[in-house]
Amino acid sequence: MASTTKQLSFMPPQKSHENGHNWETVRANGVTAQEMKEEAVRKSRKQPHESYEQTPLIVAVITYFGYAVLVIFGHLRDFMKKHGLEEIHSAKEYLKGHTPLYSSFESFYTRNLYVRIRDCWNRPICSVPGAEVVCLERKSDDYNWHLESNAFQTAEALEVTRNVPRFHFLTTWPPVSGTMLIGTMAIHVELEQLISRFLGTEDAICFGMGFATNAMNMPCLVSKGCLIISDSLNHASLVLGSRLSGATIKVFKHNDMKDLESILLDAVVYGQHRTHRPYKKILIVVEGIYSMEGAVVRLPDIVQLKKKYKAYLYVDEAHSIGAMGGTGRGVVEYWGCEPRDVDVMMGTFTKSFGAAGGYIAGSKRLVDHLRAKSHSVVYATSISPPVAQQIITTTKVIMGDLCPDEGQRRIFQLARNAKYFRNRLKEMGFIVYGNDDSPVVPMLIYMPAKIAAFGRMMFERNIGTVQVGFPATPIIESRARFCLSAAHTKEMLDYALKHISEVGDILLLKYSRRPRPTTKAVW
């Protein structure tokens, strides 16, 4: 049998000390006192409720039928274009005798499904980001192959998330060099020290792009001969980073601790495939809040398994940092865990901080390793100084260093808005996924035709929404994703809820078969 995993050279072994004693050496009936303490704390925690109502059978059948009709008509239109019976708007390759750069079938979904409803996405915003924005209304005379501007229309932007608006400041000039060369300024050092203090870690490092924070740094942590155990609903950046690392990848069912432990046990006992040598490292990769499900990671259970099997833990807090926990410090604070329980704490500045970029925080040895090995440090430009200042100011507001009590007020307001909005949707009869405390509120739409209908009808009522469908979600679980903000008032939420209910009645979106809540949601 293979032995347990090795420790990362830049991640020191974790030991639990309290009052000068090493609890790992104190045993009672074969169980360490520290394990008894952790079990007692785990049982005392309130287990938040998560809702995942099963898709009604008739709705699933009709949804599959709808996609089948779209595919059939798509092939028919392609046949007509091939024989000159319909005008071709999509790109074509004219180099005869050359191997095609792409397969025509690969763009089938985009060409025949997405293009016809793409006016529901990527709406230009022509005002300062906030709870209300001005969107540029567009029209098309050729089924969305070309979009032309028409007029300005005010929309309540429910897609704006967290404590400050979710927008990038892309008009600033970035530094001219990577962090390793001459791209590090005093403001970057200040930012990294502030993030480290905010999260309660030894050190932190910041990067200019959130997606690349995952994709470019995971290959620095694991490589061939290592094992990544990834949640099935992890973000594409985590998936890409895992693949680039060259490590073996195993996927466990979303938030399923039994499946995770089964994979960990198998990895520790049998080791690598074929050779059965022990894995060099085992890295568990999860998210704080899963952006499409509104679910919160079961962090205490994962930490317990991570310690039991001597694995490492990578937590992506892109959607939870600044939004969860009593002081906005993410799921670690929300669950009452210690920062040292998470080996790699990752997050982005594009949500709660209203800026751009990402960070990785942890031990000083970890951060020093990334400074020397990360592709983002060597080849990518660092965060623009104005954006860095935006992050610093926002972080200080959340921490209370600037505008005392303002950060706490916004965090409380966001939590209240999220619970009120989610509970009201349930009262109306919509199927809503996710954790009761999550600011991400997915409302199931299911059918492809209703994705566009819902977005267009809500926009006509001056409400901006985000619709998400396949392949970002399972094919029968298309949804509208509402991301609440502390800037939304009760009047704004009630206005939106009124029209959501109205459109839901028109489109027959109230699929829930569960008993309606007996108590009315209170803001």
Side-chain angles (χ1 to χ4, degrees):
M1 292 190 301
S3 62
T4 57
T5 59
K6 298 180 181 179
Q7 296 287 339
L8 282 167
S9 60
F10 49 88
M11 293 182 182
Q14 295 183 347
K15 294 183 180 179
S16 180
H17 297 275
E18 188 170 309
N19 299 328
H21 298 288
N22 186 346
W23 288 95
E24 296 295 337
T25 62
V26 183
R27 291 188 173 273
N29 298 326
V31 180
T32 66
Q34 178 65 15
E35 290 173 347
M36 295 171 62
K37 179 183 176 182
E38 290 177 354
E39 180 68 14
V41 172
R42 185 181 66 82
K43 290 182 177 179
S44 66
R45 289 192 181 102
K46 177 184 175 183
Q47 295 297 322
H49 177 262
E50 291 192 357
S51 174
Y52 297 99
E53 187 173 345
Q54 187 175 3
T55 304
L57 179 60
I58 185 63
V59 174
V61 171
I62 295 175
T63 301
Y64 279 122
F65 179 76
Y67 276 104
V69 170
L70 289 172
V71 170
I72 291 171
F73 273 87
H75 283 294
L76 178 61
R77 295 175 67 89
D78 283 353
F79 176 81
M80 295 173 65
K81 292 173 183 176
K82 182 178 179 180
H83 293 83
L85 301 176
E86 184 175 334
E87 185 179 359
I88 300 175
H89 295 280
S90 56
K92 293 181 63 178
E93 293 185 86
Y94 296 98
L95 297 176
K96 294 183 179 180
H98 288 68
T99 303
L101 289 175
Y102 65 92
S103 169
S104 177
F105 182 76
E106 291 178 358
S107 62
F108 177 86
Y109 185 88
T110 302
R111 189 171 61 249
N112 292 294
L113 280 74
Y114 170 73
V115 168
R116 300 181 70 84
I117 59 175
R118 68 179 180 138
D119 59 294
C120 299
W121 292 274
N122 306 321
R123 293 190 176 107
I125 296 174
C126 307
S127 67
V128 175
E132 292 185 351
V133 297
V134 178
C135 294
L136 185 65
E137 190 178 19
R138 300 167 297 171
K139 65 177 182 178
S140 175
D141 298 324
D142 56 0
Y143 303 101
N144 283 345
W145 283 105
H146 301 90
L147 293 171
E148 298 178 358
S149 61
N150 183 18
F152 288 93
Q153 178 173 345
T154 301
E156 291 184 5
L158 287 179
E159 66 268 33
V160 178
T161 68
R162 312 302 188 266
N163 298 310
V164 287
R166 180 184 178 181
F167 287 87
H168 298 197
F169 292 86
L170 299 181
T171 56
T172 55
W173 290 99
V176 295
S177 177
T179 303
M180 181 172 282
L181 300 178
I182 56 173
T184 301
M185 305 178 183
I187 195 169
H188 297 115
V189 177
E190 179 187 357
L191 171 60
E192 291 174 348
Q193 292 175 346
L194 181 64
I195 294 299
S196 175
R197 182 163 66 91
F198 176 58
L199 297 173
T201 61
E202 293 181 6
D203 204 351
I205 182 171
C206 297
F207 304 93
M209 182 179 178
F211 189 99
T213 303
N214 281 329
M216 295 291 100
N217 287 296
M218 290 188 70
C220 302
L221 303 179
V222 288
S223 58
K224 187 177 181 181
C226 301
L227 173 65
I228 293 176
I229 306 178
S230 178
D231 189 287
S232 60
L233 297 182
N234 275 344
H235 190 264
S237 60
L238 293 171
V239 175
L240 178 60
S242 300
R243 292 174 178 173
L244 291 175
S245 70
T248 301
I249 303 171
K250 293 186 178 180
V251 178
F252 69 95
K253 297 176 184 177
H254 172 59
N255 259 351
D256 189 328
M257 297 302 106
K258 290 184 178 179
D259 192 35
L260 173 58
E261 183 166 19
S262 175
I263 295 175
L264 281 167
L265 181 61
D266 183 77
V268 169
V269 172
Y270 296 106
Q272 300 182 44
H273 182 59
R274 295 182 181 176
T275 65
H276 296 294
R277 293 178 180 175
Y279 285 105
K280 297 177 182 178
K281 307 162 193 170
I282 295 179
L283 182 66
I284 303 171
V285 181
V286 295
E287 293 188 49
I289 292 179
Y290 293 86
S291 59
M292 291 300 165
E293 306 296 322
V296 177
V297 65
R298 294 171 57 182
L299 189 61
D301 296 330
I302 293 179
V303 168
Q304 188 178 25
L305 291 175
K306 164 232 173 187
K307 292 180 178 180
K308 181 178 179 180
Y309 293 97
K310 302 297 187 290
Y312 293 102
L313 180 57
Y314 186 115
V315 178
D316 179 347
E317 293 224 59
H319 292 84
S320 54
I321 193 68
M324 299 291 288
T327 58
R329 286 170 168 81
V331 293
V332 175
E333 182 183 43
Y334 172 78
W335 284 109
C337 297
E338 293 293 330
R340 65 174 178 271
D341 290 336
V342 180
D343 300 289
V344 186
M345 299 178 67
M346 179 270 173
T348 64
F349 300 124
T350 54
K351 281 80 178 177
S352 298
F353 301 87
Y359 67 84
I360 286 181
S363 67
K364 191 176 188 308
R365 294 172 68 181
L366 165 67
V367 174
D368 288 345
H369 173 81
L370 292 177
R371 292 190 198 281
K373 300 294 184 180
S374 174
H375 289 80
S376 292
V377 172
V378 179
Y379 300 109
T381 57
S382 53
I383 296 176
S384 170
V387 175
Q389 184 59 57
Q390 160 74 12
I391 301 167
I392 290 172
T393 302
T394 304
T395 305
K396 288 183 176 180
V397 170
I398 295 175
M399 296 174 66
D401 293 352
L402 290 177
C403 305
D405 299 327
E406 176 62 17
Q408 198 70 30
R409 183 196 69 79
R410 293 194 182 197
I411 293 168
F412 175 76
Q413 176 83 353
L414 174 62
R416 181 163 62 172
N417 286 350
K419 288 185 177 180
Y420 176 73
F421 193 83
R422 179 183 293 272
N423 291 334
R424 283 294 308 276
L425 289 177
K426 290 180 180 179
E427 289 177 4
M428 295 173 183
F430 294 102
I431 293 180
V432 180
Y433 276 3
N435 189 291
D436 285 349
D437 295 329
S438 171
V440 178
V441 185
M443 187 190 82
L444 276 294
I445 296 177
Y446 295 111
M447 302 175 194
K450 293 184 179 182
I451 299 174
F454 181 81
R456 290 165 179 166
M457 293 178 73
M458 293 300 294
F459 194 70
E460 290 172 359
R461 290 161 173 77
N462 294 337
I463 301 173
T465 61
V466 173
Q467 294 71 237
V468 188
F470 180 81
T473 67
I475 194 167
I476 63 169
E477 293 187 4
S478 299
R479 64 200 65 179
R481 188 187 70 166
F482 302 101
C483 295
L484 280 302
S485 167
H488 291 129
T489 64
K490 184 177 183 297
E491 291 71 24
M492 290 180 180
L493 297 182
D494 287 337
Y495 176 84
L497 287 163
K498 172 187 173 183
H499 290 288
I500 291 171
S501 180
E502 177 185 321
V503 174
D505 289 331
I506 296 173
L507 299 179
L508 304 177
L509 298 178
K510 298 179 179 181
Y511 302 110
S512 180
R513 298 181 179 180
R514 291 180 177 176
R516 305 290 175 88
T518 56
T519 57
K520 189 175 181 180
V522 179
W523 187 72

PDB file of all heavy atoms in Angstrom, residues 27 53 78 204 519:
ATOM      1  N   ARG A  27      -4.442  12.208  24.118  1.00  0.00           N
ATOM      2  CA  ARG A  27      -5.441  11.299  23.587  1.00  0.00           C
ATOM      3  C   ARG A  27      -6.417  10.862  24.674  1.00  0.00           C
ATOM      4  O   ARG A  27      -6.060  10.709  25.827  1.00  0.00           O
ATOM      5  CB  ARG A  27      -4.778  10.064  22.969  1.00  0.00           C
ATOM      6  CG  ARG A  27      -4.006  10.370  21.707  1.00  0.00           C
ATOM      7  CD  ARG A  27      -3.524   9.109  21.009  1.00  0.00           C
ATOM      8  NE  ARG A  27      -2.943   9.444  19.722  1.00  0.00           N
ATOM      9  CZ  ARG A  27      -3.635   9.548  18.609  1.00  0.00           C
ATOM     10  NH1 ARG A  27      -4.933   9.351  18.621  1.00  0.00           N
ATOM     11  NH2 ARG A  27      -3.045   9.860  17.480  1.00  0.00           N
ATOM     12  N   GLU A  53     -34.567  21.862  -5.514  1.00  0.00           N
ATOM     13  CA  GLU A  53     -35.786  21.136  -5.863  1.00  0.00           C
ATOM     14  C   GLU A  53     -35.611  20.407  -7.191  1.00  0.00           C
ATOM     15  O   GLU A  53     -35.047  20.950  -8.142  1.00  0.00           O
ATOM     16  CB  GLU A  53     -36.969  22.098  -5.939  1.00  0.00           C
ATOM     17  CG  GLU A  53     -38.305  21.420  -6.138  1.00  0.00           C
ATOM     18  CD  GLU A  53     -39.459  22.398  -6.030  1.00  0.00           C
ATOM     19  OE1 GLU A  53     -39.248  23.523  -5.533  1.00  0.00           O
ATOM     20  OE2 GLU A  53     -40.576  22.033  -6.461  1.00  0.00           O
ATOM     21  N   ASP A  78     -28.511  25.363 -41.979  1.00  0.00           N
ATOM     22  CA  ASP A  78     -27.170  25.127 -42.519  1.00  0.00           C
ATOM     23  C   ASP A  78     -27.237  24.493 -43.905  1.00  0.00           C
ATOM     24  O   ASP A  78     -26.430  24.810 -44.799  1.00  0.00           O
ATOM     25  CB  ASP A  78     -26.378  24.220 -41.566  1.00  0.00           C
ATOM     26  CG  ASP A  78     -25.867  24.965 -40.348  1.00  0.00           C
ATOM     27  OD1 ASP A  78     -26.009  26.203 -40.315  1.00  0.00           O
ATOM     28  OD2 ASP A  78     -25.330  24.315 -39.427  1.00  0.00           O
ATOM     29  N   ALA A 204       0.564  37.782   1.273  1.00  0.00           N
ATOM     30  CA  ALA A 204      -0.363  37.728   0.132  1.00  0.00           C
ATOM     31  C   ALA A 204       0.339  38.273  -1.089  1.00  0.00           C
ATOM     32  O   ALA A 204       1.291  39.061  -0.987  1.00  0.00           O
ATOM     33  CB  ALA A 204      -1.632  38.528   0.418  1.00  0.00           C
ATOM     34  N   THR A 519     -44.830  31.698   6.721  1.00  0.00           N
ATOM     35  CA  THR A 519     -44.518  33.031   7.227  1.00  0.00           C
ATOM     36  C   THR A 519     -44.035  33.917   6.086  1.00  0.00           C
ATOM     37  O   THR A 519     -43.240  33.490   5.252  1.00  0.00           O
ATOM     38  CB  THR A 519     -43.431  32.960   8.314  1.00  0.00           C
ATOM     39  OG1 THR A 519     -42.262  32.331   7.782  1.00  0.00           O
ATOM     40  CG2 THR A 519     -43.938  32.152   9.520  1.00  0.00           C
TER      41      THR A 519
END
